Structures are given as C-alpha cells and as structure tokens.
C-alpha cells in the first residue's frame, strides 16, 4: 500500500511538472516579443519626491536637469504590460534612439537619461518605431488630466492614496478605481499609474493595483517654486 501511495504521488508530481512546463513554454513564446502585450501603464512620477530622494542619496547633480525646474507630475514612462507581468528589453541591442526624438520629449520627460532608458527597456517592447512610440507617450499623457490642486502645490501635502485616486477619477471621465493605482517610496508619493488600452482608453488592471502603495497616507513634497 505504501509503495502504491509513493508511486501515485510521483505520477501526480510528474504530471504537474509537465503541465507547468507547458504553461511556461506557452508564456515564453510571447515573453519579450515586440508588440505582443495586452495594455499600457502610463506612469506619472511626482517629481518633488524624486528630487528629495536624490538629494538625500547625494545624487542631486545627476538629477539637476529635472530638479531645478518647478515640475509636478512628469511622465516616467508608457509600459507595455501582460495581464500578469510585463515584457522588457525586447530588442538587444536596442535600435539607437535619435537624439532629436529625445529632445522633443523633454517637456514631458525632463531627463535625457530617462528617455533613453525608457526606449531601451519599454519602447522596444511596444512593436512601434521610436518616433511612433514617443508619439504614443504624448497621446497617453494628453488623455490624462492632472487635478488642478497638484499642479502648483506650494506646501507639503499629506493625502490618502484613495483620495489621490479619487481626485484623478473626478476629472477624468471613464477612469475608474480599477484603472489607477498609487505607488510610494517610504512615506513619499512616488507615482500615479494609469492603465490604458492600446487605443488609449482607460481600462481595468488588477495586477497593477496589487503592486500599489498600502500606506494609509503618503506625503507629497511641494513643487519647487510652487
């Protein structure tokens, strides 16, 4: 009887290995294939938090281009996503990004290194050429309205992530709580992330929400000169 149980357990384990291997193989066929993804995440970074953290780390020199200006929310990136997980670095080496395209994006993404990195890591997964990808970033940013009270925040603000989401939802018709999440770094607000379909419509994204900030409140440092 004991031998029968051992053999049965072995066969069940073997079957599970085969099943999971098949699942992994199916995922691998799409993994990091340019253009093969389900939706985008538009990541909007709260620039004052980034600048405070950079100063604390002694990296203020590298962040000078961004942090000497009165930025509020800036575009971190537009990231292709799977329903679970995400692709990255889909072409190695990545096609060289034309410097003229980079400079054209500095009004939304105020750091050359960020723009080059976003192209290498995320843009190459979009299935688009560089110019079309960065045009998509501009279109995505145009879809999302930023609540007025955050554009020139003159004093540090403490806010619940849910209240921050609600402020965005209020002025963006069609945006729901299932399509937006807030991330934090320590006590500070890090980003607001909004999920968009490939045709730039708001859409739900449960997996993205699971990576959200779990703090009751986050701190928003003031905008420089705000």
């Amino acid at each position: 009887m004991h031998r029968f149980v051992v053999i049965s357990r072995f066969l069940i384990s073997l079957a599970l290995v085969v099943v999971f291997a098949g699942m992994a193989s199916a995922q691998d066929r799409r993994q990091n294939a340019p253009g093969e993804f389900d939706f985008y995440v538009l990541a909007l970074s709260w620039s004052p938090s980034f600048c405070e953290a950079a100063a604390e780390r002694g990296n203020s020199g590298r962040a000078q281009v961004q942090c000497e200006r009165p930025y509020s929310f800036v575009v971190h990136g537009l990231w292709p996503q799977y329903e679970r997980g995400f692709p990255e670095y889909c072409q190695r080496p990545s096609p060289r990004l034309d410097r003229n395209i980079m400079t054209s994006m500095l009004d939304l993404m105020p750091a050359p290194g960020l723009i080059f990195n976003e192209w290498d890591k995320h843009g190459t997964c979009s299935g688009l050429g560089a110019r079309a990808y960065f045009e998509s970033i501009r279109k995505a940013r145009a879809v999302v309205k930023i609540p007025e009270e955050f554009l020139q925040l003159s004093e540090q603000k403490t806010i619940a992530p849910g209240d921050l989401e609600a402020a965005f939802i209020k002025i963006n018709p069609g945006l729901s709580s299932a399509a937006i999440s807030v991330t934090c770094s320590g006590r500070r607000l890090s980003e607001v992330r909004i999920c968009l379909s490939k045709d730039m419509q708001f859409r739900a994204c449960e997996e993205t929400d699971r990576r959200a900030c779990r703090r009751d409140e986050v701190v928003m440092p003031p905008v420089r000169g705000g």
Side-chain angles (χ1 to χ4, degrees):
M1 182 68 177
H2 176 70
R3 184 181 178 188
F4 173 77
V5 170
V6 171
I7 293 173
S8 297
R9 287 177 177 172
F10 171 77
L11 291 175
I12 291 171
S13 299
L14 182 61
L16 289 172
V17 167
V18 171
V19 168
F20 285 122
M23 290 172 63
S25 176
Q27 184 180 14
D28 288 347
R29 281 196 293 272
R30 194 171 76 148
Q31 189 73 26
N32 294 339
E36 296 294 325
F37 63 96
D38 299 313
F39 64 97
Y40 286 114
V41 165
L42 175 66
L44 300 174
S45 174
W46 183 246
S47 184
S49 291
F50 167 80
C51 294
E52 277 199 1
E56 289 172 359
R57 294 193 302 268
N59 293 338
S60 54
R62 294 181 62 185
Q64 183 176 2
V65 173
Q66 176 174 340
C67 297
E68 64 187 10
R69 302 287 299 279
Y71 291 115
S72 54
F73 282 105
V74 298
V75 175
H76 181 173
L78 183 67
W79 305 335
Q81 302 282 296
Y82 303 133
E83 295 297 347
R84 292 187 177 276
F86 53 87
E88 59 182 6
Y89 299 108
C90 294
Q91 296 183 59
R92 289 182 181 271
S94 62
R96 184 176 179 83
L97 179 61
D98 186 284
R99 191 166 186 84
N100 290 330
I101 297 176
M102 182 277 291
T103 56
S104 75
M105 295 302 297
L106 287 171
D107 59 321
L108 297 184
M109 307 171 72
L114 168 65
I115 296 169
F116 283 115
N117 182 70
E118 290 300 298
W119 167 245
D120 291 346
K121 186 174 182 179
H122 301 290
T124 56
C125 298
S126 69
L128 302 172
R131 191 171 299 279
Y133 172 66
F134 285 102
E135 286 175 356
S136 294
I137 291 180
R138 194 167 291 280
K139 289 176 184 176
R141 176 61 186 83
V143 166
V144 179
K145 297 182 181 69
I146 305 294
E148 184 73 26
E149 61 262 39
F150 304 132
L151 294 178
Q152 294 182 335
L153 189 67
S154 59
E155 297 180 352
Q156 179 171 291
K157 184 179 182 66
T158 300
I159 188 170
D163 291 341
L164 181 57
E165 291 182 7
F168 273 82
I169 291 168
K170 183 178 180 179
I171 65 166
N172 286 280
L175 179 63
S176 72
S177 59
I180 182 172
S181 65
V182 170
T183 66
C184 54
S185 178
R187 295 180 61 245
R188 295 189 189 101
L189 168 67
S190 180
E191 294 185 339
V192 171
R193 296 178 178 176
I194 296 172
C195 299
L196 299 163
S197 63
K198 290 183 178 182
D199 60 354
M200 302 302 167
Q201 302 295 313
F202 298 126
R203 60 99 80 191
C205 49
E206 294 180 2
E207 177 72 10
T208 300
D209 194 51
R210 276 195 282 270
R211 299 194 293 269
C213 181
R214 300 306 175 196
R215 285 186 171 271
D216 293 333
E217 294 180 325
V218 292
V219 171
M220 299 178 70
V223 172
R224 181 183 178 89

